[in-house]
Structure formats: C-alpha cells, structure tokens
Amino acid sequence: MVDKLIEKIIELQNPTCVGLDTDFNYLPEEMKKDISTFEGAAEAIAEFNMNIIDKICDIVPSVKVQVAYYEMYGHAGMQAFEYTVNYARGRGLIVIADCKRNDIGSTAGCYSKAYLGKTSLNDKSLRAVEADMLTVNGYLGFDGIKPFIEDIKKYDKSIFALVKTSNPSSGEFQNLKLENGKFIYEQMGELVSEWGKDTIGKYGYSDVGAVVGATHPEEAERLRKQLSHTFFLIPGYGAQGGSAKMLKVCFDKNGLGGVVNSSRGIICAYKDVHYSGMNYADAARAACIDMQQDLAGVIGKMGK
Amino acid sequence: MVDKLIEKIIELQNPTCVGLDTDFNYLPEEMKKDISTFEGAAEAIAEFNMNIIDKICDIVPSVKVQVAYYEMYGHAGMQAFEYTVNYARGRGLIVIADCKRNDIGSTAGCYSKAYLGKTSLNDKSLRAVEADMLTVNGYLGFDGIKPFIEDIKKYDKSIFALVKTSNPSSGEFQNLKLENGKFIYEQMGELVSEWGKDTIGKYGYSDVGAVVGATHPEEAERLRKQLSHTFFLIPGYGAQGGSAKMLKVCFDKNGLGGVVNSSRGIICAYKDVHYSGMNYADAARAACIDMQQDLAGVIGKMGK
C-alpha cells in the first residue's frame, strides 16, 4: 500500500495527511446545539468529517483517523469511526487508522483483523472496518508485529510503528542510550526496518513504516540516514510546532519518504483568523492548499 | 483502586484475574450456530461472559477484558465489551480493561476518558464505559501517561504499564541493555515506579502498576526487588506456559504484589478433558478453584 500512497503523493505533489482527530468540541456551535447523547455526537462528528472529506479528497492523498477521538464516545463513536474510514476510502483517499495497537501474538492478530484483515464467523470472514494503513507500537517485539505483517501481505496494507514520537517528553524513554551506542529510538527504527525487509515496493520503501515526529528534526535526520527503506508518518506539523523546514530532513533526494499529518491545523482552520468568514469545510480546503504550498516549497518536486 | 483490589485478594485468598478474551470461536457449538453477523456474535459473546461472571464472581477478585477480542467485531463488539465491563462491575468484580492504549498528551486524554474518566458533551460529562483499571504502553514517556494519572486520582482508578511482556520475543527489544547498565524493561519499570510515586496506597503499592509476564521469572524477580511499590499484572499463567512456581517471585513476604491472569485456561476449560462433562460456566468455576489452590499453595497466606 505504500506504493499507492507514494503514487498519490507524486500525482498531487502533496505529502499531506489530514488528521481527522475530531473532538465534538471542535464542531461549529450550530452542529453541537441540543446534542446530549454519544449517538448524537457521533452522528454530528461523522457529518463534519464527511463534509471535510468531500472538500479535500481531490487535493490530498490521505487522511489519518485518530481512533481515540471516537473511542471516547463508546460504541457509538466507533460507528462514526467506521463510517469515516469507509467514506474516506470511497472518496479515493488512503486511510491511516491511527490506533497505536500492540499486544502479544494472538491478541495482536485480533487487532490486525479489526483494522486491516477479516474476522471469521462460522463459515464467513467479515470486515469490522477496512483501513489501508494502521499505526502500531513495537514495544513487545516481533511476535506482536508478525500478525500485522501477515495481513499487510495478504491484503496489500501497511503499518507504521512508533519510533520517535512528537510529544515533548518522548525523549524521557526514546532518547536513552543503549550499550551498543544507539539511542532507543534508533534501535526501534532498526527493528522496524528489519521487520519490513520483505515488503519493499517499487519506490524502495517498505510497508512497515515508522512514526517520526516533525518536532524532533535532529532525530528525524539521523533516522532518515539510517532507514533508507522506511517510509515515515510525520506528526507534529502545525499546532504541535513542527514546521516544513524542520521536517525537510525526513525526505529523500527525490522529495519522497514521508507523509505529513496535520489535524487541528486543518479541521479547526475555520477558527483561525487567517480563514475567517469561511465555513469549516472551505477553511479546511484552504488550509490544505496552504500546507501543500508550504511543504512543496521546502521539499521541492516529489518523484523523479 | 489498587487498595480495593488488594482487599479483595486478601478476603478471597485469591490473586486470580479471569481473562475474558472471548473469541467467538471459543463458544460452544450451540451458541455459535446460525450466527452470521457481528451483532449476533457480540450478543452471544456477551451472554457467554455473563454466565461465566455469574459463576466466578464470588471466588475471584477481578476480571480482565481484552478489548482486541471485541474490536475485531467492530462497534457491535465494542457494545459487548461495554456490556461485559458493566456487568462484571455490577457483580462486584474489579475490572481491568486490557487495552494497552498509548498516545501523545491530548490523545492519551481521550483514551483515558474512554475507559477511566468522562467525556464532555455540551454541559454534560458522560462515561463511554467505566473500568476500574486500564493497561497502557509507556513508550511515549510521561506526557502520554499524565492524563491517565489525572483520572486515576480523580476517579479512584489504576493503570498497568507494560514493562516485561509474556510473549516469547519480548526480549528482542525489552532485554536490550542500556548504557547505564539497566535493561530496557528495568528502565521502563523505574519510570513506571516514578510515575506512580504520588499514588501509593495503604498496602504500599501505587495505582501505577506494571505488566510483568509469568513466563519470564528471572526478569520478574529482578523487577520485584527493584520496584517495591509497584503492583504487577501478571499474564502468561496456564495456556502461555507460566506456572505458579515461576510467578512466586512476583509476590512480597506478605503474599501480595500482583494479580495473575488466566484467559483460555478458564474460559475454555470446558474443552479440557480435566473438566469434561461440565458446561462452560461450571468448568470455568472449577478451573478458578483449581487455579486458586495452585497459586495459594505456592504463594501462601495473602495479607499479614
């Protein structure tokens, strides 16, 4: 699936991923009014997402749907999550389910079934929801990752494992140094690269990618040099403080190597004075255009 | 909440946690027959859980509900998860939501709302589901854990962070050595201990516990010595190969310090020749009694 994402990035000259981390509180007042149940909130969130997806699907290659923002509305929220993922795929977007799932082998297999594969039921196999890509956490080692890799190969999917996260205190653990001279995040990066070595596609990148925050350019630069076959999911642009200049180091000489997520910067753009007077969907589109120009200005031409 | 769990362990002289990792395929044939939708599967799973809970709630202190086994049936599965958690709490069990959630600050806050806290909706605050304890993954560092700790203090809850997991390849990452001489799992254990230092209860254990697999007794012993205030959630007993003898090292001189999970060993006991002729709920109860005797025989009296 990383090949398809790269092709869309080249086609649109845009490595943007729009983060649909849709908190009910982000919705315009008129959409929130009189809603007092999770079912009502979930429907409003799905409608909000749908209208944004309609306005951005021709200019961005991908969306990232952050499941935590749906789980907090219970099973009704999960229904909105499923609706959003399906709707975005129907509009041609590559959908990253941002779930950071992790567990031991058989249980990791359940997570893989939930988002990438199929769940068996008597003589049938059904999908709970079908995303194209899924974020995972590799703390448990390879047998926690293997079930995902099996589904990647079977259904043409991808995963991104956490390597260097965008949060301020990520270094508390990830930047500790190992006896072998590597930082923990580098070691995790190496494992991720190893786990993906059988899934390298035609652009030289594997279907086992890495989450590398835009807010830590020094680490990102080391990782880019070290992990030549690993595609990056880059959070932290915009609201979290990462700039296009800071994340340039994540890209290779062909302007490829990563997809850059912005969540609040896009879906809450309508609250920004810069986009005042626009409705939320038009503001999201305008913010995507600005982000594309910002990124392309620094990264240059994407693809040979 | 760790104090309440310890009190129940002392009262019942039983540190067992029953893992409700209820795969549809685990159900007896007559419960699976003719079911062809996730809604149908979810209802059958909830009924299966309910009948087991009714039979074990007077002899075990806690259950662990593994969310992956519900997520793979989509939002219908999540409804069964919520039902199971609520039903078990209603029967007086302490419920551990085994979700291994992790993300950066604001998003970790959403996960905390989903399982331990409340989600705001206009002028209301509602619960998606209320568990007593939640498993988390600390790879992101403290600001990914802080939102959970806030809810722990506000609502009297607990978390368990992954330290040394029970799967065969956990050492691939967790047993690498740091420059400071510690293994990664020890370093994570130290962080977990530090994160929990403000939440130590009357038995000397904090509400920020650690997941420590029964399958790795050497590491468990080191961790018990190192982390005198950290309560352990101990998976790996039974089907995964951990024995009572192996996990004795997780307990202190008062026979306290951890709760031991068994999933398939209990909920699939009816398939075991040892319990042949029993229905699944009676077999689960019998397996719980056997497990209590096995553990108590090795750990001794629980509580002073």
Side-chain angles (χ1 to χ4, degrees), chain B residues 5 8 15-22 49 52-54 56-58 60-66 70 81 84-98 131-135 160 233 259-263 266-267 288:
Chain B
L5 177 56
K8 285 210 81 165
T16 294
C17 175
V18 173
L20 297 170
D21 306 15
T22 316
N49 289 342
I52 288 184
I53 290 165
D54 283 343
I56 62 164
C57 62
D58 60 327
V60 303
S62 62
V63 293
K64 179 172 82 60
V65 194
Q66 170 50 262
Y70 301 81
F81 175 84
T84 301
V85 169
N86 292 336
Y87 190 81
R89 287 187 88 237
R91 296 304 310 255
L93 290 160
I94 290 173
V95 178
I96 304 169
D98 192 1
D132 298 301
M133 300 175 158
L134 177 71
T135 59
F160 291 99
L233 168 59
V259 67
V260 182
N261 185 74
S262 176
S263 299
I266 309 285
I267 66 175
C288 283

Side-chain angles (χ1 to χ4, degrees), chain B:
Chain B
M1 183 52 72
V2 73
D3 280 351
K4 287 185 192 161
L5 177 56
I6 293 171
E7 274 157 20
K8 285 210 81 165
I9 290 170
I10 294 171
E11 178 198 332
L12 299 169
Q13 289 294 299
N14 192 359
T16 294
C17 175
V18 173
L20 297 170
D21 306 15
T22 316
D23 192 309
F24 180 72
N25 297 311
Y26 296 169
L27 272 51
E29 286 306 322
E30 65 272 19
M31 290 184 80
K32 286 191 288 196
K33 217 176 66 176
D34 301 331
I35 288 177
S36 61
T37 63
F38 284 163
E39 285 71 20
E43 275 177 36
I45 289 167
E47 189 194 338
F48 179 89
N49 289 342
M50 192 179 71
N51 289 329
I52 288 184
I53 290 165
D54 283 343
K55 283 281 182 179
I56 62 164
C57 62
D58 60 327
I59 55 169
V60 303
S62 62
V63 293
K64 179 172 82 60
V65 194
Q66 170 50 262
V67 75
Y69 283 83
Y70 301 81
E71 274 180 63
M72 70 172 167
Y73 306 103
H75 65 275
M78 288 308 291
Q79 209 164 356
F81 175 84
E82 294 163 14
Y83 181 86
T84 301
V85 169
N86 292 336
Y87 190 81
R89 287 187 88 237
R91 296 304 310 255
L93 290 160
I94 290 173
V95 178
I96 304 169
D98 192 1
C99 305
K100 300 186 175 67
R101 296 305 193 241
N102 63 106
D103 215 295
I104 64 166
S106 51
T107 309
C110 297
Y111 281 133
S112 186
K113 288 171 189 168
Y115 298 100
L116 300 177
K118 292 180 180 180
T119 301
S120 68
L121 208 62
N122 290 321
D123 55 350
K124 285 188 185 176
S125 283
L126 303 171
R127 285 190 187 278
V129 64
E130 182 175 5
D132 298 301
M133 300 175 158
L134 177 71
T135 59
V136 301
N137 182 323
Y139 187 81
L140 290 95
F142 181 63
D143 50 26
I145 296 294
K146 194 165 164 261
F148 297 107
I149 294 180
E150 286 165 4
D151 281 338
I152 282 173
K153 292 179 180 173
K154 194 167 173 186
Y155 299 109
D156 186 18
K157 303 293 180 189
S158 298
I159 55 172
F160 291 99
L162 297 186
V163 170
K164 175 65 189 172
T165 59
S166 61
N167 54 310
S169 76
S170 68
E172 181 184 14
F173 179 70
Q174 296 161 25
N175 284 40
L176 296 173
K177 210 167 216 178
L178 291 160
E179 210 179 45
N180 64 17
K182 288 174 206 146
F183 292 108
I184 283 181
Y185 74 84
E186 289 180 291
Q187 183 72 41
M188 183 59 87
E190 225 168 75
L191 288 173
V192 167
S193 169
E194 175 68 21
W195 295 335
K197 68 179 194 295
D198 295 340
T199 65
I200 296 175
K202 61 182 175 183
Y203 295 93
Y205 287 104
S206 103
D207 277 316
V208 181
V211 176
V212 177
T215 46
H216 304 294
E218 193 187 317
E219 289 88 341
E221 189 169 10
R222 292 175 79 108
L223 288 166
R224 179 73 292 154
K225 282 180 187 152
Q226 180 194 342
L227 308 173
S228 55
H229 298 296
T230 307
F231 200 77
F232 292 174
L233 168 59
I234 308 161
Y237 174 88
Q240 284 183 53
S243 69
K245 207 177 149 195
M246 283 160 79
L247 57 81
K248 185 178 163 48
V249 294
C250 296
F251 290 80
D252 65 23
K253 62 177 172 24
N254 299 316
L256 300 173
V259 67
V260 182
N261 185 74
S262 176
S263 299
R264 277 166 292 168
I266 309 285
I267 66 175
C268 296
Y270 77 100
K271 297 182 177 188
D272 185 329
V273 287
H274 191 63
Y275 306 103
S276 69
M278 291 187 187
N279 69 45
Y280 66 87
D282 287 331
R285 183 181 175 89
C288 283
I289 291 169
D290 287 347
M291 182 169 168
Q292 188 275 339
Q293 289 174 351
D294 184 35
L295 294 176
V298 168
I299 298 166
K301 183 165 173 276
M302 293 155 220
K304 276 178 198 165

